[in-house]
Amino acid sequence: MSLREATIDRERRDLVTHQVMDESRLIRFVAAPDGTVAPDLARKLPGRGLWVAADRASLEAAVKKNLFSRAAKAPLKPAADLPDLVETLLVRRCLDQLGLARREGVLISGFEKSLANVRSGKAAWIIEAADGSADGRGKLLSLAKHMTPPPKVCGAFTADDLSLALGLENAIHAVLLEGGRADRWTFEVERLAGFRPLLPPEWGERPAEDPDKDLSGRGSAP
């Protein structure tokens, strides 16, 4: 069972809005022994959980107003850069999931292989380097729009990020196949979406291309 599945129907109260939400939409924190606030993204640390909606604005409000102390009924000192720390940890978790997916054979890299797997209808996610070739990306995303249902798209990481996570040189295009690993990735990346956009804003400026035109991917990195 994935972490995402395990949190279904389990609800907690966001300490900022006091709204009751599924755990999948929240991040758990605990009081550290030194009086600071520690993020518990894996939800394994001992102690009473302090839950905040998984987005930067909510966490910034919790830090600014020190709502952690109120919720814990104890003096706590959350670090001013706690939102940045959480984003960094979420990025690491997402990239680790991609590395595991490649070792399991459910993450396919390279333009032509990615294109073939999108066409097969087995792709859960298309993962594109934020700084990769617009030409190859445009063809893949255009094809994805014709699939039912279309795979989701992530462009939150650079080529260097992806290359390091996957153990490849110049990783630009990748496809994550449907299955349990894709479910776990979805859980992590949807939390990350509250801290950084999954799609760079400039991607929307390029018109969609014909997916059947020049599918060799020439001019785009593998």
Side-chain angles (χ1 to χ4, degrees):
M1 178 182 294
S2 70
L3 182 56
R4 180 183 179 84
E5 292 170 332
T7 61
I8 293 176
D9 296 329
R10 285 187 1 204
E11 296 181 329
R12 305 286 183 176
R13 190 178 301 276
D14 170 29
L15 61 82
V16 178
T17 65
H18 305 294
Q19 181 180 352
V20 175
M21 304 179 184
D22 289 340
E23 283 189 15
S24 62
R25 298 172 55 196
L26 297 157
I27 293 176
R28 183 178 189 263
F29 298 84
V30 296
D34 61 357
T36 60
V37 176
D40 179 22
L41 301 184
R43 303 171 184 190
K44 293 181 178 179
L45 295 178
R48 177 188 175 189
L50 307 170
W51 300 83
V52 180
D55 64 80
R56 179 175 289 274
S58 294
L59 187 49
E60 287 176 345
V63 171
K64 182 178 181 180
K65 300 176 182 180
N66 200 4
L67 300 179
F68 294 102
S69 289
R70 187 181 306 174
K73 298 180 180 180
L76 297 176
K77 296 179 181 178
D81 64 348
L82 189 58
D84 292 332
L85 172 60
V86 169
E87 179 179 348
T88 297
L89 294 174
L90 285 171
V91 166
R92 182 71 266 155
R93 291 177 69 85
C94 289
L95 293 174
D96 286 347
Q97 286 292 322
L98 294 183
L100 290 171
R102 181 169 185 265
R103 290 193 286 275
E104 293 168 358
V106 295
L107 185 136
I108 311 302
S109 61
F111 176 79
E112 292 186 4
K113 290 181 180 180
S114 293
L115 192 73
N117 279 276
V118 172
R119 282 193 186 282
S120 74
K122 298 177 181 178
W125 283 85
I126 297 174
I127 300 160
E128 290 284 309
D131 51 350
S133 164
D135 179 56
R137 179 177 68 244
K139 292 182 175 70
L140 279 166
L141 301 192
S142 181
L143 175 61
K145 292 178 182 179
H146 293 80
M147 306 307 297
T148 305
K152 297 180 181 180
V153 182
C154 177
F157 311 108
T158 66
D160 286 346
D161 292 334
L162 294 176
S163 298
L164 183 61
L166 302 179
L168 298 172
E169 292 185 8
N170 201 27
I172 302 295
H173 313 287
V175 164
L176 182 58
L177 303 181
E178 295 174 343
R181 182 61 62 187
D183 292 341
R184 289 186 283 276
W185 154 266
T186 299
F187 173 79
E188 299 294 356
V189 83
E190 286 184 349
R191 294 197 294 179
L192 177 61
F195 292 83
R196 67 163 63 174
L198 295 189
L199 297 179
E202 60 270 21
W203 282 16
E205 298 173 1
R206 184 180 176 86
E209 298 186 35
D210 181 353
D212 293 314
K213 181 180 179 182
D214 186 16
L215 297 185
S216 66
R218 287 190 295 271
S220 64

